[in-house]
C-alpha cells in the first residue's frame, strides 16, 4: 500500500509540473507571500529564556517577520518566543489566543476541535483552512463537530511558526478562506538533533453529579539530521487522557405530589428554559492518540523537495453513568413516571450507552520548489489523505441495564479521503520593474462513504444490515492569477482573479422502500458550478511606520459531501439530503490601519462580510402523519447573513520594562441573519456562536536568561447556540456561555539541554458550557530535553 501511495504522488506531481511548465502561467507575488526559504529570525524575537531555541529556524514556507501586516490579507504571526507562554499539549492550543479566532477544544486530545475565524463560527468548519508544511489539515468531508481539522497529524512540539491570514483576499485561496487560513511551518533539521518531551496534566472536573479529578500525559520523541543535501526527521507523539463527561442527559419533567424511594440527579431547566430532570452523563472519555511522522527534505542548487508522511492511530471509549439510585444504592437505568423530590420524569438508558472509537489515518505530502531562472520560481504541493479505518461501535442501552441484549450500531467510514494538488509559478519584475505576478492551478477531489449498521454484538463489531448509508464525491479545479505592484515609496496594489469549477458526482443516500419495507440506496443528482472571484487591495503609507490598506473580494464556498448527501432517520429525528445545494456567495471588505513600533505594532481592522446562501442545518417539526412531532433537518441556505466587526491588536516586545512581551487583541462583532425565506421569523436574529466581544491576552516576562513567567487570559461574551435564538439560559449543559479564563505558565532552563515548566489553565476554576463543558482548572507539568 505504501508503494502505491508513493507512486500516486510521483505521478500526480510530475503531471502537474509538466503541465505548468508547458503553459504560459508565469507568475509571482512579492517575496513575502510565498517562498520555500530559510527563515532568519529577528534578534528581538529570540526566546530569551530558552537557550536551545535556534537563532535560525529552517522552514520550508514563506519568509515572515513579526511585524508583517500581510500584503493582501491581514495577517498574524506566532514565533517560538510567543509560544513559550502557552500551555500547549496539542497543536490547536498554539492559536487559541490569536485575534478573532476560537477553538472549540472540549478537552485535551479532542477529536472534534473545531475552529472559527472572524465571521465563520466554530461550526462553519468549511470556511477556514489549515495547512502544515503545505499539507491540508482541514477536513472537508463533513461539517460542524465532525468537520474539525486533523490537528493530531502534526505535533505541537515540532512547530516553528504559525501564521493566520484573515479573509479570502488573496487569489491563491478559494472561498474556504472566508474566515481565514492558518499556515503552520515545522522546523527542518540542519544538523543532528534529538528532542524528547514529557507532559502531565490533571483537571478538577465537576458538573451536575459528576465530581472527579481526571488526568493524562503526553510523550514526544524525535530525531533528525542533515547529511549532505538530505535532511530527515522522524517523530513519535503519544497522548493519553481521561476527560470530563461531554454530554449530560436530561428528561422532560413536571411537578408531582407522589413519593419515591429513589434518589440522585437534580431538577432544573435546560438552555431553552424547559423543565427537565438531569439523570446522568455519558461518562469519562478515555482517549489515546499515536502519531508517527517522517519528513525527508532534499536540496540542490536550484530545487528543493520535502516529503511528509503522517500516520494517526486514535481510539476513545466512554460509557454513560446514571445518577439515579434505588433504596439499596444500586444504579437505576430506566424510569417510567419516576418521582424524586416532587419532580416526575421518565427515561431509558439509550443515552447512557457504551461507545468505542477506532480511527487510523494516513497523510502523504510532497512540496517541490524549482528556480527556473533568477526571476522565475515554481512551487508544487500534493497531498493524499486516506481514512484507513474509522469505526464507532455503540450499544443500544447501557451494558448494565437489565433490558440490554448486546445489540447496537456500528458507524463505519469506507473508502473515504481526498487528493489535492497545486502548482504556482512566480515571476519578479513581470514585464516592467516592481510589477510581480503570482499564478497557478489547484485541484481538489474529496470522497466520503459513511455506513451505519445494525449489530447484535456491538463489542465484536458484527455488522448485520444497513441502518443508513450515504456518500458521494466533490471535485474542484481552480486557476488563479494575481498582479502585485509597489512604487517602493507610498503605494502598493494587488489585483487578483480566481476561476473555479466545482462538480459533485456519484452521490447516494439510503431510504426505505415502503413497498418491500427494505432499505435501498438512491442515486442523487449531480451539480456543477463555475464561478469567478475578483480580488483587489490597495495600500498607502502616509508616513514612516504607518500603513492604511483596503481590501475587497468576492468568494464562493462550495458545499461539501455531507452537506449535499447526508440522509438518515434515527429515533425522533430525520435528516434529508439536499444534493442541489448552491455555493455560499461572499462579499468581503477589510480596512486596516497599522502603526509599526520598535519591537511590535498596533493594528486596527474594520471588516464587513456579507454571505448570500449561507449553508446551515435548518430544522422544522413535522405536524401530523406517521412522523408527527419528529424533528426534520436539512442543509438549507440562509438567504443572507451580515457580519460587521472591528479588531484592535497590540503586539509589543519589551513593554515598559526590558523582557516583558505582550500580545493583546480585542474584537467586536455584529453578526445577524438579515434574510431567510425558509424561516422568516429568524430574520434579525443574532448569528449563532458569534460573540459580540472577545479578547485575548498573552504576556511573558523573562526574569533572567533561564527563567520566564507568563500570564494569559481569554474572554468571550454570551452567545446563542441556535438559529432560533431561544437558548436563553446560561450555566447549563447545551448553553453557550460567556467566559473569562485566566492561565499561568513558568519555564526554567535547568541547563542548555533540559528545561522544565509548570502551568495552569482556567486558574479560577470557572464552569463554562459551550454546548459541552469546557475543562475546569487544569495543572500542567512539562520536562523537555533537546540535544
Amino acid at each position: 500500500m505504501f508503494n502505491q501511495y508513493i507512486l500516486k504522488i510521483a505521478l500526480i506531481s510530475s503531471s502537474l509540473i509538466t503541465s505548468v511548465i508547458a503553459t504560459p502561467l508565469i507568475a509571482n507575488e512579492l517575496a513575502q507571500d510565498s517562498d520555500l526559504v530559510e527563515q532568519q529570525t529577528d534578534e528581538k524575537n529570540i526566546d530569551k529564556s530558552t537557550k536551545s531555541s535556534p537563532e535560525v529556524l529552517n522552514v520550508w514556507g514563506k519568509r515572515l517577520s513579526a511585524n508583517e501586516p500581510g500584503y493582501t490579507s491581514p495577517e498574524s504571526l506566532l514565533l517560538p518566543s510567543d509560544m513559550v507562554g502557552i500551555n500547549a499539549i496539542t497543536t490547536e492550543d498554539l492559536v487559541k489566543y490569536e485575534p478573532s479566532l476560537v477553538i472549540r477544544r472540549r478537552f485535551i486530545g479532542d477529536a472534534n476541535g473545531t475552529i472559527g475565524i472572524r465571521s465563520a463560527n466554530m461550526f462553519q468548519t468549511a470556511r477556514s483552512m489549515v495547512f502544515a508544511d503545505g499539507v491540508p489539515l482541514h477536513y472537508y468531508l463533513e461539517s460542524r463537530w465532525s468537520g474539525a481539522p486533523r490537528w493530531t497529524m502534526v505535533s505541537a512540539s515540532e512547530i516553528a511558526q504559525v501564521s493566520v491570514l484573515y479573509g479570502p483576499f488573496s487569489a491563491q485561496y478559494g472561498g474556504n478562506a472566508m474566515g481565514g487560513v492558518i499556515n503552520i511551518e515545522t522546523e527542518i533539521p540542519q544538523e543532528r538533533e534529538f528532542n524528547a518531551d514529557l507532559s502531565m496534566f490533571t483537571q478538577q472536573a465537576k458538573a451536575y453529579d459528576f465530581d472527579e479529578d481526571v488526568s493524562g500525559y503526553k510523550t514526544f520523541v524525535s530525531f533528525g539530521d542533515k547529511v549532505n543535501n538530505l535532511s530527515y526527521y522522524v517523530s513519535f507523539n503519544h497522548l493519553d487522557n481521561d476527560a470530563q463527561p461531554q454530554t449530560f442527559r436530561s428528561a422532560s419533567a413536571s411537578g408531582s405530589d407522589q413519593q419515591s424511594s429513589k434518589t440522585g440527579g437534580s431538577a432544573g431547566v435546560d438552555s431553552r428554559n424547559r423543565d427537565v430532570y438531569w439523570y446522568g452523563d455519558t461518562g469519562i472519555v478515555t482517549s489515546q492518540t499515536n502519531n508517527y511522522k517522517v519528513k525527508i527534505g532534499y536540496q540542490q542548487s536550484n530545487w528543493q523537495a520535502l516529503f511528509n508522511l503522517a500516520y494517526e492511530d486514535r481510539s476513545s471509549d466512554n460509557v454513560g453513568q446514571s445518577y439515579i439510585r434505588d433504596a439499596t444504592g444500586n444504579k437505576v437505568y430506566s424510569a417510567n413516571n419516576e418521582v424524586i423530590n416532587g419532580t416526575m420524569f421518565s427515561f431509558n438508558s439509550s443515552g447512557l450507552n457504551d461507545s468505542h472509537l477506532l480511527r487510523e489515518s494516513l497523510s502523504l505530502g510532497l512540496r517541490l520548489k524549482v528556480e527556473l531562472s533568477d526571476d522565475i520560481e515554481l512551487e508544487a504541493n500534493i497531498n493524499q489523505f486516506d481514512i484507513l479505518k474509522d469505526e464507532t461501535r455503540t450499544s443500544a442501552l447501557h451494558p448494565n441495564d437489565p433490558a440490554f441484549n448486546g445489540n447496537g450500531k456500528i458507524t463505519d467510514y469506507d473508502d473515504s479521503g481526498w487528493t489535492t494538488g497545486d502548482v504556482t509559478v512566480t515571476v519578479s519584475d513581470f514585464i516592467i520593474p516592481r510589477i510581480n505576478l503570482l499564478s497557478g492551478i489547484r485541484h481538489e477531489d474529496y470522497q466520503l462513504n459513511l455506513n451505519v449498521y445494525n449489530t447484535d454484538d456491538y463489542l465484536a463489531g458484527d455488522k448485520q444490515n444497513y441502518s443508513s448509508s450515504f456518500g458521494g464525491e466533490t471535485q474542484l479545479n481552480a486557476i488563479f492569477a494575481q498582479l502585485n505592484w509597489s512604487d517602493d515609496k507610498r503605494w502598493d496594489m494587488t489585483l487578483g482573479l480566481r476561476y473555479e469549477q466545482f462538480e459533485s458526482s456519484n452521490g447516494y443516500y439510503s431510504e426505505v422502500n415502503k413497498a418491500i419495507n427494505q432499505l435501498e440506496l438512491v442515486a442523487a443528482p449531480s451539480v456543477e458550478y463555475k464561478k469567478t472571484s475578483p480580488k483587489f487591495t490597495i495600500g498607502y503609507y502616509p508616513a514612516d511606520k504607518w500603513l492604511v490598506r483596503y481590501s475587497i473580494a468576492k468568494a464562493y464556498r462550495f458545499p461539501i459531501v455531507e452537506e449535499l448527501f447526508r440522509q438518515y432517520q434515527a429515533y425522533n429525528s430525520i435528516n434529508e439530503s439536499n444534493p442541489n445545494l448552491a455555493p455560499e456567495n461572499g462579499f468581503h471588505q477589510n480596512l486596516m490601519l497599522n502603526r509599526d513600533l520598535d519591537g511590535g505594532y498596533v493594528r486596527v481592522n474594520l471588516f464587513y462580510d456579507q454571505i448570500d446562501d449561507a449553508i446551515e442545518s435548518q430544522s422544522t417539526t413535522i405536524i401530523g402523519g406517521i412522523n408527527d412531532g419528529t424533528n426534520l433537518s436539512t442543509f438549507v441556505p440562509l438567504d443572507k447573513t451580515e457580519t460587521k466587526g472591528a479588531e484592535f491588536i497590540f503586539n509589543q516586545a519589551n513593554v515598559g520594562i526590558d523582557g516583558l512581551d505582550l500580545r493583546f487583541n480585542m474584537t467586536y462583532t455584529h453578526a445577524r441573519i438579515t434574510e431567510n425565506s425558509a424561516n422568516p421569523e429568524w430574520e434579525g436574529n443574532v448569528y449563532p456562536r458569534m460573540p459580540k466581544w472577545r479578547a485575548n491576552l498573552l504576556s511573558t516576562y523573562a526574569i533572567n536568561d533561564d527563567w520566564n513567567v507568563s500570564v494569559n487570559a481569554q474572554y468571550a461574551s454570551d452567545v446563542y447556540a441556535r438559529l432560533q435564538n431561544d437558548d436563553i439560559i446560561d450555566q447549563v449543559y447545551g448553553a453557550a456561555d460567556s467566559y473569562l479564563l485566566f492561565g499561568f505558565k513558568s519555564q526554567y532552563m535547568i541547563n542548555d539541554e533540559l528545561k522544565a515548566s509548570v502551568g495552569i489553565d482556567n486558574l479560577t476554576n470557572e464552569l463554562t458550557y459551550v454546548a459541552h463543558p469546557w475543562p475546569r482548572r487544569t495543572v500542567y507539568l512539562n520536562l523537555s530535553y533537546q540535544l
Side-chain angles (χ1 to χ4, degrees), residues 44 48 598-599 652-662 700 702:
K44 67 176 182 294
K48 296 182 179 181
D598 292 336
Q652 174 90 44
N654 300 318
V655 181
I657 58 175
D658 187 42
L660 177 61
D661 297 344
L662 180 68
T700 301

Side-chain angles (χ1 to χ4, degrees), residues 27-42:
N28 185 30
E29 190 169 8
L30 292 179
Q32 62 184 3
D33 259 7
S34 67
D35 269 340
L36 295 176
V37 299
E38 181 179 278
Q39 176 180 321
Q40 306 291 333
T41 305
D42 294 338

Side-chain angles (χ1 to χ4, degrees), residues 670-692:
H670 179 88
R672 293 290 186 272
I673 301 170
T674 54
E675 295 180 19
N676 185 41
S677 57
N679 291 281
E681 66 275 13
W682 298 350
E683 293 181 1
N685 282 5
V686 177
Y687 208 87
R689 302 179 182 86
M690 293 292 296
K692 180 178 289 187

